[in-house]
Amino acid sequence: MTEHRTRVEVGIVGGGPAGLMTALLLKRRGISAAVIETRTKDTIHHTQRAGILEAATVNMLLDAEVGSRVLTSGHEHEGTVLSFDGEQHRIDFQALVGRSVWLYPQNEVFFDLANAWEREGGEIHWAVTDTQVHGVETAAPRISFTDAAGQERSIEADLIVGTDGSRSMCRKLIPEQVRTDHFISYPFAWFGILCEAPPTAPELIYANSELGFALISQRNETVQRMYFQCDPDTDPQSWSEDAIFDHIQAVLGTEGGVQLKRGPIIEKTVLPFRSYVCDPLSHGRLALAGDAGHTVPPTGAKGLNLAFADVRALVPCVEEFITELRADRAETGTGTGPGGTGTGGTESGDTGSGIETPAALRRYSRTALDRVWKAQNFSYWATNLLHRQPEENPFTHRRRRGEFDAITGSVYGQAYFADSYTGWSD
Ligand SMILES: Cc1cc2nc3c(=O)[nH]c(=O)nc-3n(C[C@H](O)[C@H](O)[C@H](O)COP(=O)(O)OP(=O)(O)OC[C@H]3O[C@@H](n4cnc5c(N)ncnc54)[C@H](O)[C@@H]3O)c2cc1C
């Protein structure tokens, strides 16, 4: 069978939120892009993931004019509740830092972006197999894959953006002698449920007690999302509905206070906790964005928001690189462009054997990683504040209570939480 070849300026591996947002924003700047994705659109649309959007993420959806329903179907949260041993404290984001977050599920964010990309005639291949990326250390990188109809295809590009999620294959194209993998795992996981019930509370409740962590979240008027801390090896089927709700209620406190709204559980999942950062996020003609470059534990609600922050940093740098490349081609006709071996526009420091990484893409990596590490710190800190450790004893629990009081009992502590949770200012 002959391979079908197309050519764009930017080839994107992974059609999740990071990949689709990158494609759309590049198109807004007159840069051609194509996306490939291993899953079907329907599968992604029906997979529950993140739910909390920082204001900057919402603004990106609105500014990109993708027809997002975030303002009509989403819910603005001006604060959140922290609960320790049944005692609740509200953190008022608006009063403290003048920003809100929005509850709008990731699968709806994805659906808005995918619909916009398709409506605008963007090239996308769903349900591909055999993805391979070639030549990221050359001036002519290429993606090859088999499409859903079994046709072998190839996308030639000037740059590849790897937005292929936490199990990224693109990341491994950065040679080991150039790449540092920062990684830790945690001794616990989240047991997540979706249940058919009205909201228990208007805002999220992050709760801790001697039993560990629980999170009361929302989805819509009839379906709710809740989590509690569990062992990473937990079999989701080993917990009955009553046991799940009784446990979450016990973490919230049974005396007065918040009473859970219960209903049939329609999904149970166990979500392991990991922190990972790939440094650098660019190499040769490859840039990574979103979970492909870093993952955080979900406690700080940072994963999806970091993916969007990467895209904010990446798109202007890609535009700069493509603009230089076009000018170089017009002038010399070589097509090697910025980052070509021996040309200007690069910085020293590459130890890979091929083409140098363009300066604009190096700058992207540095800018994005600064924010990633701030988010890693907040996610790590919030995770340890709110979870029971395996070696927990009365001292460690009481010490964490002291840390909790230092946050909730001081306007400065509250402001730290609010500033970090709502996503700092860019
Ligand atoms: C249960 C859960 C709860 C979460 N809760 C939150 C939260 O509350 N707040 C928050 O901010 N974040 C949360 N996150 C994290 C958030 O979902 C991710 O950070 C977000 O999905 C990152 O987007 P992305 O586009 O980088 O990656 P993804 O959404 O993972 O998209 C990557 C895409 O690449 C595709 N792909 C992979 N390999 C290939 C290949 N070889 N070829 C082609 N395509 C490929 C995948 O199918 C996938 O669709 C949660 C995650 C989970 C799992």
Side-chain angles (χ1 to χ4, degrees):
M1 190 193 297
T2 52
E3 188 183 70
H4 189 283
R5 292 188 170 226
T6 53
R7 178 162 172 87
V8 289
E9 289 171 303
V10 179
I12 299 175
V13 182
L20 289 168
M21 191 50 135
T22 302
L24 279 154
L25 293 187
L26 289 175
K27 185 162 186 281
R28 303 281 180 271
R29 292 171 186 237
I31 296 167
S32 59
V35 184
I36 67 158
E37 166 57 52
T38 46
R39 294 186 289 168
T40 66
K41 184 180 176 188
D42 195 53
T43 302
I44 306 178
H45 184 211
H46 290 100
T47 302
Q48 293 290 329
R49 303 273 294 262
I52 291 292
L53 308 186
E54 295 171 358
T57 302
V58 173
N59 288 340
M60 279 176 82
L61 287 171
L62 301 179
D63 292 347
E65 298 183 344
V66 293
S68 174
R69 296 152 297 143
V70 60
L71 295 185
T72 48
S73 303
H75 297 274
E76 183 177 6
H77 286 192
E78 295 186 352
T80 196
V81 173
L82 301 181
S83 163
F84 206 103
D85 290 337
E87 193 181 305
Q88 294 189 11
H89 299 265
R90 182 168 185 267
I91 307 289
D92 187 334
F93 299 149
Q94 274 295 340
L96 289 158
V97 294
R99 290 189 297 272
S100 298
V101 295
W102 289 76
L103 182 94
Y104 185 61
Q106 174 171 335
N107 51 326
E108 300 303 337
V109 172
F110 159 79
F111 201 50
D112 291 343
L113 296 173
N115 288 343
W117 184 243
E118 288 181 334
R119 206 168 43 238
E120 295 179 21
E123 182 178 345
I124 185 156
H125 302 271
W126 302 107
V128 307
T129 51
D130 311 324
T131 307
Q132 286 188 52
V133 177
H134 313 266
V136 297
E137 292 185 331
T138 74
R142 183 171 68 88
I143 306 168
S144 66
F145 59 98
T146 306
D147 73 13
Q151 169 72 51
E152 288 178 15
R153 287 180 176 269
S154 173
I155 296 173
E156 295 168 357
D158 297 313
L159 173 72
I160 305 296
V161 174
T163 48
D164 50 343
S166 59
R167 297 201 178 118
S168 173
M169 59 159 291
C170 291
R171 175 200 303 153
K172 299 190 183 89
L173 300 171
I174 303 178
E176 278 179 16
Q177 69 268 29
V178 180
R179 190 179 86 221
T180 304
D181 293 302
H182 300 277
F183 175 79
I184 58 167
S185 62
Y186 297 75
F188 38 75
W190 275 7
F191 193 123
I193 61 161
L194 272 184
C195 67
E196 291 174 340
T200 290
E203 295 174 339
L204 270 64
I205 304 174
Y206 288 85
N208 177 276
S209 80
E210 286 182 343
L211 294 170
F213 171 84
L215 171 60
I216 310 304
S217 181
Q218 303 88 16
R219 273 297 181 259
N220 55 43
E221 281 62 35
T222 54
V223 174
Q224 305 312 318
R225 190 85 165 131
M226 301 178 197
Y227 300 93
F228 63 93
Q229 176 179 353
C230 68
D231 188 271
D233 300 324
T234 302
D235 171 8
Q237 302 317 321
S238 65
W239 281 72
S240 69
E241 286 197 3
D242 281 347
I244 290 170
F245 287 122
D246 289 349
H247 181 81
I248 297 173
Q249 184 67 64
V251 176
L252 281 174
T254 46
E255 302 293 315
V258 176
Q259 292 301 309
L260 275 186
K261 300 257 173 45
R262 302 179 181 213
I265 293 177
I266 51 177
E267 189 180 299
K268 296 178 189 173
T269 45
V270 170
L271 174 66
F273 270 40
R274 298 194 174 93
S275 297
Y276 170 76
V277 180
C278 175
D279 186 355
L281 293 174
S282 58
H283 177 74
R285 293 292 179 86
L286 171 71
L288 304 175
D291 277 16
H294 40 76
T295 49
V296 286
T299 320
K302 284 280 166 267
L304 176 60
N305 294 302
L306 268 187
F308 271 63
D310 283 356
V311 176
R312 276 204 299 283
L314 176 64
V315 167
C317 293
V318 172
E319 182 181 31
E320 182 181 320
F321 164 66
I322 295 290
T323 303
E324 283 179 50
L325 188 62
R326 287 175 183 168
D328 184 71
R329 278 197 181 129
E331 198 178 313
T332 66
T334 63
T336 310
T341 315
T343 70
T346 62
E347 296 174 13
S348 60
D350 260 358
T351 53
S353 55
I355 202 167
E356 288 182 22
T357 307
L361 298 184
R362 285 176 173 271
R363 197 171 340 108
Y364 156 65
S365 178
R366 285 196 302 271
T367 307
L369 285 175
D370 283 349
R371 189 186 185 92
V372 165
W373 280 111
K374 275 205 299 189
Q376 284 290 1
N377 176 58
F378 178 65
S379 304
Y380 175 91
W381 171 78
T383 295
N384 285 308
L385 173 68
L386 292 167
H387 290 73
R388 179 185 162 84
Q389 304 292 333
E391 70 281 9
E392 192 93 344
N393 59 42
F395 174 85
T396 54
H397 183 74
R398 193 62 190 83
R399 187 209 64 77
R400 278 193 298 108
R401 173 68 196 241
E403 188 176 5
F404 183 86
D405 289 345
I407 294 297
T408 56
S410 140
V411 72
Y412 303 107
Q414 292 178 25
Y416 169 74
F417 189 95
D419 194 35
S420 305
Y421 192 87
T422 60
W424 308 283
S425 46
D426 269 343

